[in-house]
Amino acid sequence: TQAFSWHVNAEPTAAPTPVPVSYTIKRGDTLLGICIRQYGSTARVSEICSLNGIGNPDDIKVGEKILLP
């Protein structure tokens, strides 16, 4: 018989912290549309608003740069 030795790392490794990505608003963009394209749902609209200090998700301007989480 052959003995096997298993090493278990007792300290969990932290997942890398996601770095926000810059995005420039284009004509026809909405935060809902950007969320759907980037994340597959609208679940992160409020997070994008908070990250960028946007009070009204409908109040974005063409050429404006925002950060996406």
Side-chain angles (χ1 to χ4, degrees), residues 37-61:
R37 284 194 310 272
Q38 294 294 317
Y39 308 111
S41 79
T42 59
R44 298 183 82 176
V45 169
S46 62
E47 185 180 353
I48 292 171
C49 288
S50 295
L51 182 61
N52 292 282
I54 298 171
N56 178 352
D58 294 325
D59 189 23
I60 57 174
K61 310 275 187 279

